[in-house]
């Protein structure tokens, strides 16, 4: 059930960064003040596509469930929420690249989630406690509360399989560093990194976070995206399959709570390419 302190919004809209900044008061960032939902809607533009995939209620449901499940450990919500947000909010990368959608989601649909997830001293501007960093509402993709999760699921899924996306979301600092790297746009590179991080976690290696960050830095320094594409070629995604998955949003059941949902079956990355880069990156770790 939606938070009773948040006015109901039926559909997503487009809220510009300038307009959003006008509503982002200290009271809202601190969770002391309710956002003026009606005023935000008036300042927003409607999405031209009127299909059911832009309805707000399904997103509100998974957000509320994340809060219920992870109220004792907010950071743990990322790995659960990312694949379910992606499978619920079905869209192309071009659509997801529009910050206006994420601004609206954070301020009009689920501002209480942004505060719940990010209200702590480690994530606030200047390191001071009491207010959420404004970038969690209207920031870049690797920082904004919802876009970071959607893009994590998109970049680290392997076709319909979200398992490595869960792994990538296990550490907030590592995830945001990864999303800021151009090389994760190459699917075998992204999956090889996530595979190694998963092995580190599974083997209970000490300093897993430090090793993961060191690996990411080494991968970025060692080569460009073009170099990794030459070493580990991959196939283009199946755009027709992706569009079909998006078009089925109106008839899709709600995402499951206790197992991973299925993403678009638009092609898995080449196993040989992932293996090649995994071997290379393991040498970086060594």
């Amino acid at each position: 059930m939606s938070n009773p302190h948040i006015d109901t919004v039926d559909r997503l809209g487009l809220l510009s960064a300038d307009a959003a900044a006008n509503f982002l008061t200290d009271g809202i960032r601190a969770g002391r003040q309710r956002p003026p939902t009606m005023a935000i809607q008036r300042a927003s533009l409607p999405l031209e596509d009127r299909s059911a995939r832009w309805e707000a209620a399904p997103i509100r449901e998974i957000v509320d469930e994340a809060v219920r499940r992870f109220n004792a450990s907010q950071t743990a919500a990322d790995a659960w929420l990312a694949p379910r947000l992606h499978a619920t909010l079905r869209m192309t990368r071009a659509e997801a690249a529009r910050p206006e959608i994420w601004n609206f989601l954070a301020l009009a649909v689920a501002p209480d989630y942004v505060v719940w997830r990010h209200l702590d001293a480690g994530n606030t501007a200047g390191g001071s406690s009491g207010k959420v960093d404004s970038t969690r509402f209207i920031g870049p993709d690797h920082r904004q509360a919802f876009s970071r999760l959607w893009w994590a699921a998109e970049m680290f899924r392997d076709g319909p399989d979200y398992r490595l996306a869960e792994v990538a979301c296990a550490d907030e600092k590592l995830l945001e560093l990864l999303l800021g790297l151009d090389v994760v746009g190459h699917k075998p590179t992204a999956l090889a990194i996530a595979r190694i991080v998963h092995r580190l976690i599974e083997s209970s290696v000490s300093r897993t976070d430090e090793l993961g960050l060191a690996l990411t830095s080494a991968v970025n320094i060692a080569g460009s995206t073009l170099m990794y594409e030459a070493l580990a070629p991959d196939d283009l995604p199946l755009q027709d399959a992706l569009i079909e998955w998006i078009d089925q949003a109106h008839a899709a059941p709600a995402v499951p709570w206790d197992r991973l949902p299925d993403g678009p079956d638009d092609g898995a990355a080449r196993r040989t390419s992932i293996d090649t880069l995994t071997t290379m990156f393991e040498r970086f770790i060594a």
Side-chain angles (χ1 to χ4, degrees), residues 59-111:
I59 300 172
R60 190 68 238 189
E61 287 178 7
I62 59 172
V63 164
D64 290 339
E65 179 65 13
V67 173
R68 187 188 71 80
R69 285 180 174 241
F70 301 98
N71 201 39
S73 179
Q74 288 94 325
T75 57
D78 288 353
W80 185 90
L81 185 55
R84 289 166 178 85
L85 176 65
H86 186 275
T88 299
L89 186 50
R90 300 186 180 192
M91 55 183 167
T92 65
R93 290 188 179 188
E95 290 170 328
R98 302 187 69 177
E100 296 88 353
I101 291 175
W102 304 114
N103 298 341
F104 186 92
L105 180 53
L107 273 164
V109 178

Side-chain angles (χ1 to χ4, degrees), residues 124-189:
T124 52
S128 60
S129 62
K131 294 191 293 291
V132 175
D133 190 327
S134 61
T135 59
R136 299 300 185 181
F137 285 94
I138 58 172
D141 286 334
H142 69 285
R143 289 282 295 171
Q144 205 270 355
F146 294 105
S147 66
R148 61 192 280 274
L149 300 179
W150 192 96
W151 280 106
E154 172 66 15
M155 304 309 284
F156 291 98
R157 68 179 175 87
D158 191 13
D161 187 351
Y162 287 114
R163 286 178 295 177
L164 287 178
E166 274 192 316
V167 172
C169 292
D171 181 89
E172 178 180 3
K173 185 176 181 181
L174 177 60
L175 172 62
E176 294 183 4
L177 178 60
L178 287 171
L179 291 178
L181 302 180
D182 289 338
V183 294
V184 299
H186 179 235
K187 186 69 73 171
T189 299

Side-chain angles (χ1 to χ4, degrees), residues 204-228:
S204 300
V205 174
S206 62
R207 301 185 300 111
T208 298
D209 293 349
E210 292 180 24
L211 287 172
L213 293 171
L215 168 64
T216 303
S217 178
V219 168
N220 193 47
I221 292 171
S224 66
T225 303
L226 291 176
M227 188 196 83
Y228 291 130

Side-chain angles (χ1 to χ4, degrees), residues 201-276:
I201 295 171
E202 289 292 299
S203 60
S204 300
V205 174
S206 62
R207 301 185 300 111
T208 298
D209 293 349
E210 292 180 24
L211 287 172
L213 293 171
L215 168 64
T216 303
S217 178
V219 168
N220 193 47
I221 292 171
S224 66
T225 303
L226 291 176
M227 188 196 83
Y228 291 130
E229 289 175 346
L231 287 172
D234 197 26
D235 302 313
L236 292 174
L238 304 174
Q239 288 299 319
D240 288 346
L242 173 63
I243 297 303
E244 181 181 1
W245 182 76
I246 291 173
D247 288 343
Q248 291 173 347
H250 71 282
V255 293
W257 288 164
D258 297 314
R259 64 171 177 82
L260 283 172
D262 294 323
D265 193 7
D266 56 353
R270 291 191 194 181
R271 299 271 78 76
T272 53
S273 293
I274 300 173
D275 292 343
T276 295

Side-chain angles (χ1 to χ4, degrees), residues 13-25:
L14 300 171
L15 180 64
S16 71
D18 288 342
N22 290 331
F23 296 111
L24 198 54
T25 65

Side-chain angles (χ1 to χ4, degrees), residues 196 274-284:
I196 293 175
I274 300 173
D275 292 343
T276 295
L277 293 179
T278 299
T279 300
M280 175 187 292
F281 298 161
E282 283 175 337
R283 291 201 296 269
F284 293 171

